[in-house]
Amino acid sequence: MFAEPVQIALNKAIMILSMVDVDAAKGYILSFGIWAPIVSFLLMTLQSLFAPLPAFIITFANAGLFGWVNGAILSWSSAMAGAALCYAIARIYGRNVVEKFTTRTALKAVDEFFEKYGKWAVLVARLLPFVSFDIVSYAAGLTAMGFWEFFWATGLGQLPATIIYSYVGGILTGSAKTMVTGLLVLFALTIIIYVTKQAWQARGKAAEVKD
């Protein structure tokens, strides 16, 4: 009897996130009254488990409901919890279980990214809210990267984007939000190109030293 209500609630939460609608997410979270922050925290953790679900929707919703500062703190902390959970699942249960939460193709692509850039992959991936950082979290758990190394890289990598998107989410709505989101994506792309370039140069210098 307990499992059925939980399943219904889970399906509804997934449906809300799948709509990619900030107003719908805000309405859903707000419907829980004083429990809204806890529900938001659980939603962020939920989307972490299921990689295709968008985290930026919750980040915008949190900013709109709780203010951009409190929203940023809530989004950052809940995303950290979700990332740690993904890492733990991968580390404990292995690739076969991880592939059930993601896809074999996506995981393989991230594996190759890790082979090239190692811990840089964690930092770079978090800069774009439309890139599934959750798959990167799973992939990190399948590597030799230690938990604290992953945890600190995750926290630092996601902090700038969380602050920016929370601030935007707190002051804009409707079409203006869509426009600024596009601008922020361009901004994030610029950063990711720069970081990737720096990582590539550092990798080249390391290879020269070995030779």
Side-chain angles (χ1 to χ4, degrees):
M1 295 179 63
F2 177 74
E4 185 174 352
V6 171
Q7 186 63 47
I8 293 175
L10 183 63
N11 290 338
K12 184 174 182 179
I14 293 175
M15 180 192 70
I16 293 294
L17 292 178
S18 299
M19 291 170 62
V20 196
D21 186 325
V22 177
D23 290 333
K26 287 169 63 176
Y28 178 73
I29 294 172
L30 197 61
S31 69
F32 290 89
I34 61 173
W35 299 101
I38 295 176
V39 170
S40 173
F41 192 99
L42 294 175
L43 277 177
M44 186 69 84
T45 304
L46 172 66
Q47 73 78 30
S48 297
L49 295 178
F50 302 97
L53 297 179
F56 73 94
I57 293 298
I58 305 173
T59 302
F60 275 132
N62 285 342
L65 292 174
F66 310 114
W68 81 267
V69 174
N70 291 330
I73 294 173
L74 178 59
S75 297
W76 184 85
S77 59
S78 56
M80 289 293 290
L85 181 59
C86 291
Y87 177 95
I89 289 174
R91 181 55 57 94
I92 295 171
Y93 297 104
R95 180 173 293 270
N96 289 337
V97 171
V98 169
E99 288 179 354
K100 294 179 180 180
F101 288 98
T102 61
T103 64
R104 182 173 299 180
T105 302
L107 195 57
K108 183 178 179 181
V110 175
D111 286 339
E112 295 174 354
F113 193 70
F114 261 92
E115 289 177 4
K116 289 184 177 181
Y117 304 111
K119 64 182 180 181
W120 283 94
V122 175
L123 292 171
V124 170
R126 198 55 181 178
L127 294 173
L128 284 174
F130 299 101
V131 172
S132 180
F133 180 72
D134 308 321
I135 295 181
V136 176
S137 298
Y138 280 124
L142 298 175
T143 68
M145 178 180 288
F147 174 76
W148 289 113
E149 183 181 8
F150 164 78
F151 191 78
W152 286 113
T154 297
L156 292 174
Q158 77 167 352
L159 188 58
T162 299
I163 292 175
I164 292 172
Y165 293 117
S166 294
Y167 181 73
V168 171
I171 62 176
L172 297 175
T173 57
S175 59
K177 180 179 293 183
T178 301
M179 178 187 70
V180 175
T181 299
L183 293 176
L184 288 175
V185 170
L186 293 177
F187 168 74
L189 282 173
T190 301
I191 296 177
I192 198 172
I193 291 172
Y194 172 78
V195 172
T196 302
K197 180 181 178 181
Q198 293 299 312
W200 181 262
Q201 290 177 345
R203 186 168 178 264
K205 290 180 180 179
E208 289 177 2
V209 171
K210 289 181 179 180
D211 293 339

